[in-house]
Amino acid sequence: MISTAVAAAFVGTAVYGTVAFAHSINDDLRTPAVAFTRAGDESAVPDPLRDACATDAPRNRPPANSTLSATDSTGTVKLYRVRSKDHVVTVPVSVTNSGDTRAIYTVTVRVTLTGDDAGVDVDNAVAIDGAVTPHTTTSTEVTFTGIGSAPLSSMDVSVLDVREQRCPVN
């Protein structure tokens, strides 16, 4: 008799648990997964482009007394003379936004070794920190650590890729 009561309790708990679980699933299905925002509300979903566009890139000029080494086909990105210190190669980069809206830039630079190490290519990308305002120039640098001790005279630099994302106009 006691074992029948215990068994009934287990069955009742299992049935109640299944019903409670089914109700919770139905509640989850009735609740929207993404809350819609009203005009003026901050979106709860992260938007990398919006977040990057909210910050201005510094308005700095290319390095002083630096020789131009390469440019992209549009003249938007310019690379300057390669520098090396402690086996770290640095390429100064400037980006000019000639458009009428703010933009985010990511530049991929290639260093090709010539001479004894001919044919070795090393690529690295750098993103401009913030949005470049229209008709301004900002500069940064891209570093390479995998080149070793090749002399600077045996390094050719080039712009491999420029990614530009225009910021939405408010």
Side-chain angles (χ1 to χ4, degrees), residues 92-131:
V93 177
S94 72
V95 176
T96 301
N97 181 353
S98 57
D100 292 330
T101 59
R102 296 158 38 92
I104 305 296
Y105 293 90
T106 302
V107 180
T108 303
V109 176
R110 171 172 282 173
V111 173
T112 302
L113 300 181
T114 60
D116 292 341
D117 298 313
V120 175
D121 294 329
V122 183
D123 303 339
N124 200 0
V126 63
I128 301 298
D129 189 23

Side-chain angles (χ1 to χ4, degrees), residues 33-38 41-47 50-51:
V34 176
F36 295 98
T37 57
R38 295 174 299 203
D41 285 351
E42 189 71 24
S43 173
V45 178
D47 181 355
R50 183 198 66 219
D51 295 344

